[in-house]
Amino acid sequence: MDRKMLYHIVEWSVALAACAFLLYKIVTYDNYAALGEALRNMSWQQWTAMGLCVALMPLNMALEAWRWRTLWNVQSDNVQSTKELSFCEAQRQVYYSKLAGLVTPWRLGEYPARGMLLVESLKLNDERGSNAESGKLMTRVLSMGAVGSATMTAAIVLAGVLGLAFSPEVLSLLGGSYLYALAVAVALLAMAFALMPRLLRRFAEVDQYLLLRSLGQSLVRLLCWCVQLALVLWALGAVTNHLPITGLFVYYLLVTITPNVPVAEAGVRGAWAILLFGTMNAALAGVLLWLINTLLPCLIWPFLRKKTK
């Protein structure tokens, strides 16, 4: 079996597994009656809001491609013979990694999947290439994955802590044990930011400027998530009064600092939505937004797939 054949087998195996999982979640979802009722009662303004939420999905993915391209191109600037990543190629890798993250615990497959496509796109592992060179490339990819994951988590935690400061009722509801877990998460993130440049210097070019730049990009992507959530909550009538943006930040904090695997993720999102926003329609909003930002990218990926000779 040659390299290209193995590459295509892995590529399509991941895609089919992700699609099978999504189909399973759609078939086994047991609250279609409530979702149908909410959709039937929507006005044209609410349908417009839902359409805007769906339209923001490509922007959400483009922002992640922007983050990923920034992280990788810092490496290409400092590593001889390594090409820069185009925005179109970064988007292709991000959409495919969505599939891989869906079928691996805690989305651990996302960055290895991007690395696989990066190796293929840069042609570092063909007949004239070097397996050692490809191995170095994958190491850099995983290092950048650690940076990207840390900065995205840090953005969510920072915004969420700010939101909690303005939500005393949520603080009292969560209790001390959650706050202790949150304090540990903040301490670990601070330690990671301090040590990451030193720990990863053997494998990649990482400095405090890159960390802060990626953190800023992560905050922009978080704002996109919050706008999407606000639109779908309003469209489903899940909130009847003013929805503070701090509440949206707290929602993503709770979703992030809650142990879960992809199989349970939609349920976790729905449960936290009920807790924060107080209605069953909020749970529907959490699940529906998960489908918009997960199902649609999986359906779009085949159209972005690079055609090989």
Side-chain angles (χ1 to χ4, degrees):
M1 183 184 299
D2 62 17
R3 182 194 58 80
K4 283 190 176 180
M5 179 65 71
L6 179 61
Y7 165 79
H8 288 306
I9 289 174
V10 173
E11 184 181 29
W12 281 106
S13 296
V14 170
L16 292 174
C19 291
F21 166 72
L22 285 170
L23 181 62
Y24 166 78
K25 294 298 292 183
I26 291 170
V27 170
T28 58
Y29 183 64
D30 59 0
N31 208 14
Y32 279 113
L35 180 59
E37 183 66 21
L39 294 175
R40 282 192 295 272
N41 292 331
M42 284 167 52
S43 65
W44 71 266
Q45 294 97 330
Q46 290 170 302
W47 277 111
T48 300
M50 186 68 74
L52 287 174
C53 177
V54 174
L56 284 173
M57 183 279 294
L59 175 61
N60 171 25
M61 299 298 287
L63 290 172
E64 177 57 20
W66 176 44
R67 285 192 341 119
W68 172 233
R69 183 172 182 262
T70 297
L71 289 170
W72 177 253
N73 284 350
V74 168
Q75 305 309 300
S76 67
D77 290 341
N78 292 280
V79 179
Q80 188 177 7
S81 77
T82 301
K83 300 177 183 177
E84 286 196 352
L85 188 63
S86 69
F87 184 73
C88 289
E89 179 60 27
Q91 287 231 104
R92 185 176 77 95
Q93 293 173 16
V94 165
Y95 274 86
Y96 181 68
S97 69
K98 196 77 172 178
L99 293 164
L102 191 64
V103 295
T104 53
W106 303 286
R107 298 192 185 91
L108 292 177
E110 283 198 11
Y111 287 99
R114 294 183 194 183
M116 186 185 76
L117 265 64
L118 198 56
V119 169
E120 179 67 15
S121 66
L122 300 181
K123 305 297 183 184
L124 292 178
N125 196 24
D126 59 15
E127 293 78 9
R128 299 166 297 171
S130 164
N131 287 330
E133 188 71 15
S134 296
K136 291 178 182 178
L137 171 64
M138 184 61 76
T139 300
R140 292 189 203 108
V141 167
L142 296 179
S143 298
M144 290 302 96
V147 173
S149 297
T151 53
M152 191 72 243
T153 302
I156 293 170
V157 170
L158 287 174
V161 169
L162 176 64
L164 282 176
F166 292 92
S167 308
E169 68 285 353
V170 177
L171 272 174
S172 61
L173 188 62
L174 291 175
S177 59
Y178 188 86
L179 295 181
Y180 291 141
L182 183 58
V184 170
V186 171
L188 289 175
L189 283 170
M191 189 181 303
F193 268 65
L195 297 178
M196 198 171 285
R198 183 179 301 176
L199 294 176
L200 296 180
R201 63 185 176 185
R202 291 178 54 193
F203 314 109
E205 296 289 334
V206 180
D207 56 23
Q208 294 297 332
Y209 173 73
L210 177 62
L211 292 173
L212 291 175
R213 186 176 177 184
S214 183
L215 178 62
Q217 292 173 323
S218 300
L219 286 169
V220 174
R221 191 182 184 210
L222 176 60
L223 284 174
C224 180
W225 288 349
C226 289
V227 172
Q228 283 186 292
L229 179 58
L231 287 168
V232 75
L233 283 169
W234 186 81
L236 292 179
V239 287
T240 56
N241 52 7
H242 177 63
L243 177 64
I245 193 169
T246 53
L248 304 174
F249 289 153
V250 171
Y251 170 78
Y252 281 109
L253 171 68
L254 295 175
V255 168
T256 301
I257 311 297
T258 301
N260 69 84
V261 294
V263 172
E265 184 177 7
V268 169
R269 289 174 180 268
W272 282 125
I274 292 177
L275 179 68
L276 281 178
F277 307 117
T279 65
M280 281 301 299
N281 279 8
L284 297 176
V287 173
L288 190 57
L289 184 58
W290 179 81
L291 286 174
I292 289 170
N293 283 337
T294 303
L295 176 62
L296 292 184
C298 293
L299 295 178
I300 289 173
W301 173 75
F303 299 99
L304 298 179
R305 182 175 173 271
K306 181 179 287 186
K307 302 296 187 294
T308 56
K309 296 180 180 180

